[in-house]
Amino acid sequence: MATSFAGVPIFDYEALASVLFFIGLAGAIARRNPLVMLMSIELMFNAANLAFIVFARAWLNNAGQIFAFLVITVAAAEAAIALAIVVVVFRSAPQVNVDDVRVLHG
Amino acid sequence: MANPEHVMGVVGSYPLLIALWLLPLAGAVLCWAFGPQLKRAAGWLATAVAFAAFALTVASWGSGTQSLNGALGADQPLVRWMPGFHLGLLLDPLSLLWACIITGVGALIHLYSIGYMEGDSAFARFFAYMNFFLFAMLTLVLSDNFVGLLIGWGLVGLASYFLIGFWFYKPSAVAAARKAFVINVAGDVGIMFAIFLIVQKTGSIGFGNAFAAADTYGPTLLLAICISLFIGAAAKSAQVPLHTWLPDAMEGPTPVSALIHAATMVTAGVYLIARCAPLWSHDGNAQLLVGTIGGVTALTGAVLGMVQWDIKRILAYSTMSQIGYMIMGVGVGAYEAGVAHFFTHAFFKAQLFLGSGLIIHALANEQDVRRMGGLRKRLPFAFIAMLVGVLAICGIPGLSGSFSKDAVIQGALNHGHPWLYAVGIVTAGMTAYYMFRMLFVTFFGRYRGEIDPSELGIRHPEFAGTAAHADTGGHDSHHAPAWLMNLPVAILIVPSIFAGWLLYGGADSPWHRFFDPQFGVAAPANVPISELTTTLVTLAFVAVGILVAYLRYGTAAARESAVERLRRESVGMWPILANAFYFDVALDALFVKTSEMLGRLVSRVLDPHVVDGTVREAAIAAQGSGALVRSLQTGFVRAYAVFLAVGIACFAAFYAFHGVH
């Protein structure tokens, strides 16, 4: 099992991935602009992808890389749907605030 | 192929039976479907069907009686259902006799009805019901198994319901029909229970299998089967205490009373016990029970018959009393005597009812004998018909009733029931009294129809069918020819007088030769009192009955003071007799009131607090838990994101502490 790539220890990669993930999570929870929330979610996706790829290299198992591709695909589909929803919400309200979408709550 | 085990060793199919059986159904369907088109022809069609069925029955005579090494008659399989459960038609001496009476007397009553129902708005419907009744009754007596018998049993109850409530705009008729139906259904349940017991033991519904196994039932089961069967027989044949529907059933048109509630349907209980003779012969307790109930019914019917004022109710209680005789006969084991009394009773009682119908018809539906009187000159033919019927039912020697009634009374003694013997003799005297009372009050003295009802002690004058009369356009507008109603009565006079002679000659009589293969040759009994003595003692009681009736209603002085006497008797009638021994009240208190109480209990406690309560509590629980979960659904997307994050953190923490494995 490799312990470092290009002179950087695995722990550092994983620390980076964790930091990215929690930045994304904080953004998704704290921000009210749907576009920014989407970007935060993408950030979490990519943190996960980074972790997948690092572990794939570390364990010499390509399943992690394949999983990264799958995540990218799903993220693309998710972005398409999410953007469509955002556009629809834009039409009904001049300013987009996800908390205002609460009016859909029964 | 016929199954010999299934039907008491009878072999040989007989397709004509199917025609005989289905013919009245076809007539009923035709009258029902094409009633408006057929109009008066419906009556003739139904009558022709009844006569054709009678002709087929007579043509079947040989097939029903030939004795093939102990095998009797013919069997026609209909449906092979599963092993032990085959439905078919059976013709043997017993079913042949019943089929003859049903179709023969039935055909005559159909003919009579054309005149009697003339002008009724539902003329065709009446004949559809009558033919339907013939079909139902034939189903009952021709079935070779218990299920077919039960089907017929239910269908005759239905036909009876239709016909009692025929004038459905009379509330009393509707109430009477409902009462008759409910009591009869209670009897059906008894028979159903007996079938369950028999099938559980023998795995078959066939008569033959059930009777062949009679030895193996054991005393408890056999008694249970016999009692269950007898509950059905008692309800159908108006035995105490299930008799209360029969007097009320007189609300139906008089031909219906003659056919269903005198000649045929009410004797189905007699048929059932005679059919199940192998079971009864194995069980002395059942014999004692059924014989006793028969005797009690004979006595009760006679006592109540003595105090009735409605001519049809007199005849109804008389019917109940005579069926008591029959049940007593077949109950104690004198099957041939009990069946013989059914045979002769069918003739003279049908004749009495049809004769009373002539009177009711002539008096514009008046049924109260207090408002009759002196009809001898006005209706001479009705008088002769009634007189012959009365003499026959009283057991005047030479007429049919004397042979069969004496045979029943003697049979009770021969089979070791001296008390029933005494009851039979006393009842014969009472029969003579109430019959001659009716005869004197109706036909002698002066006509009292114009007298104010209150002077006769009639508190609530009931002009029985007057309303019905007006509604149906009235019989007065166009009269059917008189012979239509007189001819059947005239024909019935012949067997009323002579039918009993079939029993003449003791063990060698045609009757015994006919039925010995069915019921077996009776062992020569140790007879304590000879038949001649029995006849003489009975005759003495009959003479006393006639004499009392004559002294009270027949003498010149009594005829003169008839109005005063009838008023005094009506007003001074003992409440216990006026209320028919409170049987109605007792049944009401026992069953109707308890059912109502049970219903109230359910509607006030069980339904609102248990059934509805459960549903309500379930709804409240669902609502509460829904409200709880609903509060989590805030609609804030970011809140959901927090839930997600917390959930993931929980998973992560779990795996961090426990490891992946």
Side-chain angles (χ1 to χ4, degrees), chain A residues 25 28-32 37 98-99 102 105-106, chain B residues 630 633-638 640-642 645 648:
Chain A
L25 184 62
I29 291 173
R31 299 301 297 266
R32 294 177 190 174
M37 285 176 77
V98 286
D99 287 354
R102 188 165 170 269
H105 173 254
Chain B
R630 194 166 164 271
Q633 305 285 324
T634 54
F636 287 111
V637 178
R638 298 177 306 123
Y640 300 158
V642 172
I648 292 167

Side-chain angles (χ1 to χ4, degrees), chain B residues 311 359 369 372-375 437-444:
Chain B
I311 189 166
I359 302 168
V369 289
M372 297 177 183
L375 297 177
R437 167 181 178 268
M438 179 193 80
L439 206 63
F440 286 131
V441 174
T442 309
F443 288 105
F444 291 85

Side-chain angles (χ1 to χ4, degrees), chain A:
Chain A
M1 189 185 116
T3 52
S4 66
F5 310 123
V8 180
I10 286 179
F11 179 84
D12 291 5
Y13 285 107
E14 290 309 317
L16 175 63
S18 299
V19 167
L20 280 176
F21 183 82
F22 282 104
I23 290 171
L25 184 62
I29 291 173
R31 299 301 297 266
R32 294 177 190 174
N33 188 322
L35 287 174
V36 177
M37 285 176 77
L38 271 178
M39 292 193 297
S40 306
I41 291 168
E42 292 298 324
L43 207 55
M44 285 192 280
F45 274 133
N46 287 313
N49 280 347
L50 182 59
F52 275 130
I53 290 164
V54 168
F55 283 129
R57 285 296 298 275
W59 296 100
L60 297 177
N61 184 338
N62 286 337
Q65 302 205 3
I66 294 167
F67 233 99
F69 280 120
L70 272 177
V71 170
I72 290 166
T73 317
V74 171
E78 174 261 331
I81 294 172
L83 284 172
I85 294 172
V86 169
V87 169
V88 171
V89 175
F90 249 124
R91 282 188 189 156
S92 63
Q95 218 180 357
V96 181
N97 179 342
V98 286
D99 287 354
D100 293 344
V101 185
R102 188 165 170 269
V103 294
L104 294 179
H105 173 254

Side-chain angles (χ1 to χ4, degrees), chain B residues 360-601:
Chain B
I360 295 166
H361 197 67
L363 297 185
N365 287 11
E366 180 56 73
Q367 298 190 5
D368 196 316
V369 289
R370 289 171 294 192
R371 291 171 58 77
M372 297 177 183
L375 297 177
R376 183 165 40 110
K377 298 187 190 75
R378 196 167 147 194
L379 301 166
F381 178 73
F383 173 65
I384 292 168
M386 294 294 270
L387 180 65
V388 172
V390 166
L391 292 177
I393 196 175
C394 289
I396 304 300
L399 277 77
S400 60
S402 65
F403 293 94
S404 54
K405 188 183 287 184
D406 288 357
V408 168
I409 294 172
Q410 184 71 32
L413 184 67
N414 289 358
H415 287 82
H417 298 278
W419 279 107
L420 296 178
Y421 176 76
V423 165
I425 290 177
V426 172
T427 305
M430 292 172 156
T431 308
Y433 170 75
Y434 67 70
M435 274 297 153
F436 273 89
R437 167 181 178 268
M438 179 193 80
L439 206 63
F440 286 131
V441 174
T442 309
F443 288 105
F444 291 85
R446 265 195 298 276
Y447 181 56
R448 298 180 293 273
E450 279 103 24
I451 297 174
D452 181 31
S454 60
E455 275 185 52
L456 292 161
I458 304 174
R459 253 167 287 177
H460 309 289
E462 251 186 88
F463 300 100
T466 326
H469 224 53
D471 282 1
T472 55
H475 294 60
D476 304 322
S477 50
H478 45 308
H479 271 294
W483 68 265
L484 260 180
M485 289 169 67
N486 289 346
L487 179 68
V489 184
I491 294 173
L492 277 172
I493 288 178
V494 178
S496 288
I497 297 175
F498 296 110
W501 286 94
L502 290 172
L503 275 85
Y504 183 73
D508 289 329
S509 62
W511 190 262
H512 284 263
R513 274 186 277 126
F514 185 65
F515 274 114
D516 275 347
Q518 175 113 36
F519 297 122
V521 183
N526 176 25
V527 185
I529 300 170
S530 78
E531 284 188 39
L532 183 66
T533 318
T534 305
T535 307
L536 289 178
V537 173
T538 310
L539 269 181
F541 273 82
V542 168
V544 170
I546 296 175
L547 188 68
V548 174
Y550 177 73
L551 290 177
R552 284 172 66 91
Y553 302 102
T555 59
R559 290 184 212 170
E560 282 306 308
S561 60
V563 174
E564 171 58 21
R565 166 175 284 273
L566 293 178
R567 192 191 63 76
R568 215 172 48 235
E569 274 182 33
S570 308
V571 174
M573 175 124 32
W574 296 348
I576 189 167
L577 292 177
N579 290 296
F581 293 125
Y582 298 103
F583 273 113
D584 268 328
V585 181
L587 287 182
D588 199 54
L590 259 178
F591 297 109
V592 181
K593 288 280 187 296
T594 48
S595 305
E596 280 176 354
M597 256 164 59
L598 199 67
R600 270 199 295 277
L601 187 74

Side-chain angles (χ1 to χ4, degrees), chain B residues 112-125:
Chain B
Y112 179 93
S113 305
I114 297 177
Y116 194 86
M117 299 306 289
E118 175 78 43
D120 196 289
S121 57
F123 188 74
R125 185 165 59 91

